[in-house]
Amino acid sequence: MTSARITDWQTASAQGPRTVNADATDAYLDPATGQTVFALADGVGDTPGAARAARLAAAAAVRGPAAEGPVGALLAAQRAVRADLAAGDCVLVVATPSNGGYLLGWVGDARAYAWTGDGLAQLTKDHTLAQYFRDHGTAPEPRMEHIVTTSVRTAGATEFGRAEVRSAAGLLLTSDGVHKTLTTAAMAELLRRPANSATALTEAAVAAGATDNATALFAELAPATDLRTLPFPTAA
């Protein structure tokens, strides 16, 4: 696995109308391997325990052995959350630059997008009850969009979502307060502007009426072309 060169990364989070901000982001460059790992976690619920779970999961995920990839990062997050009696639960997406793109792993409905310089391509598939019904040809009820079918605390390793993208110009990680409030086209338009893109996304989500915490992490690689996504088996 060859690390891709990161030229810039930024993150922003807005509490929105919630009592606590239960989202968390983290990133870590392993000085021994030169590998970088990014993580974004979204606590399940509006409680201090949910916020604690998100912080624990994000921190543990980025500091696990990079050689073990996204699955190893998710397992490290799971061990950290399960070991803490004060922690609730959370969803999580992790990404490691590799071979000019990224290796990805996730549980729940935290998302990753590839940024091509012109638009966004969603790389993750939500682990929600709504997505389950859509996959089986049934229109879901709106409330099902917020019911996750996997989480850091509960998911088995075979239920982790996994994917790889090659030759993306950048990577966007978001909590559902962003991507369930803004359209993909609206997010892409904000990334085209010469500003702090992560802050622009979270501020736009709050202004558009987000009912949840809104968090984004945006990382850019050295310019590349020929975007290609390689799917791996994912949980329903």
Side-chain angles (χ1 to χ4, degrees):
M1 180 169 63
T2 303
S3 179
R5 183 165 63 88
I6 296 291
T7 59
D8 183 43
W9 70 277
Q10 54 192 245
T11 185
S13 187
Q15 184 170 316
R18 292 297 186 99
T19 303
V20 299
N21 190 340
D23 288 353
T25 60
D26 211 332
Y28 180 69
L29 171 65
D30 187 336
T33 64
Q35 291 287 328
T36 306
V37 182
F38 298 104
L40 183 149
D42 180 353
V44 177
D46 186 19
T47 66
R52 184 173 181 84
R55 292 192 299 268
L56 286 169
V62 301
R63 288 167 179 79
E68 295 181 5
V71 170
L74 290 169
L75 288 172
Q78 187 172 78
R79 288 191 295 270
V81 170
R82 287 179 173 178
D84 194 304
L85 296 178
D89 201 358
C90 63
V91 299
L92 175 68
V93 59
V94 297
T96 302
S98 174
N99 298 319
Y102 298 91
L103 296 174
L104 303 158
W106 72 93
V107 289
D109 58 354
R111 287 186 189 174
Y113 296 84
W115 170 245
T116 65
D118 293 317
L120 289 167
Q122 186 175 331
L123 303 173
T124 54
K125 184 176 183 179
D126 291 350
H127 295 175
T128 60
L129 192 59
Q131 188 62 53
Y132 175 86
F133 273 88
R134 279 193 289 268
D135 289 344
H136 290 80
T138 302
E141 297 178 9
R143 65 180 180 83
M144 295 178 181
E145 299 289 354
H146 305 285
I147 302 174
V148 296
T149 56
T150 63
S151 68
V152 168
R153 184 176 284 279
T154 65
T158 58
E159 297 177 299
F160 294 162
R162 288 173 286 172
E164 180 179 359
V165 60
R166 294 183 179 176
S167 300
L171 174 82
L172 175 65
L173 307 182
T174 57
S175 67
D176 64 350
V178 173
H179 59 251
K180 291 182 182 176
T181 304
L182 303 175
T183 65
T184 302
M187 291 192 292
E189 178 59 31
L190 289 167
L191 292 180
R192 294 189 188 100
R193 300 177 183 178
N196 186 313
S197 301
T199 298
L201 285 166
T202 58
E203 289 180 346
V206 172
T211 59
D212 201 347
N213 310 138
T215 300
L217 186 154
F218 182 57
E220 292 185 276
L221 295 174
T225 58
D226 187 27
L227 176 67
R228 186 160 66 96
T229 300
L230 304 179
F232 284 74
T234 64

